[in-house]
Amino acid sequence: MNTKIARIVPAALLAAGVVLSGPVALAAPQHGTSSAASVVDHRSSGKKGPYSSKGACESAGRYGHYKSYRCSYEHYKWWLYYYTS
């Protein structure tokens, strides 16, 4: 009977470990799925706002030291789209 218990206990511990580590393994970040270029692109462009007027948006673009920018009127608000590199 002791050999039967000796076989069941490790199997039960293994099953418990798999069940308990399952959500942790799924929530772990996936390294290597994004390229370095996509990170640089994400950092070098963006959207700021909203601004109350087109003038305020353009002023923010001029003084933001961006390589290029544009102001767009969306959903009754002005948004600044910029690119820095």
Side-chain angles (χ1 to χ4, degrees):
M1 180 151 172
N2 285 339
T3 55
K4 190 173 184 179
I5 291 174
R7 290 183 198 161
I8 293 173
V9 170
L13 290 174
L14 178 65
V18 169
V19 168
L20 293 176
S21 69
V24 173
L26 292 176
Q30 300 296 322
H31 299 291
T33 57
S34 65
S35 66
S38 66
V39 172
V40 171
D41 291 342
H42 177 62
R43 290 182 185 165
S44 64
S45 63
K47 177 181 178 180
K48 289 188 177 182
Y51 296 95
S52 58
S53 66
K54 184 177 182 179
C57 179
E58 290 177 344
S59 178
R62 278 192 302 274
Y63 296 110
H65 303 290
Y66 304 119
K67 182 176 180 179
S68 64
Y69 68 90
R70 67 178 173 86
C71 293
S72 178
Y73 191 68
E74 301 170 3
H75 305 288
Y76 308 104
K77 297 174 186 170
W78 286 96
W79 295 92
L80 173 69
Y81 291 90
Y82 62 91
Y83 184 73
T84 58
S85 42

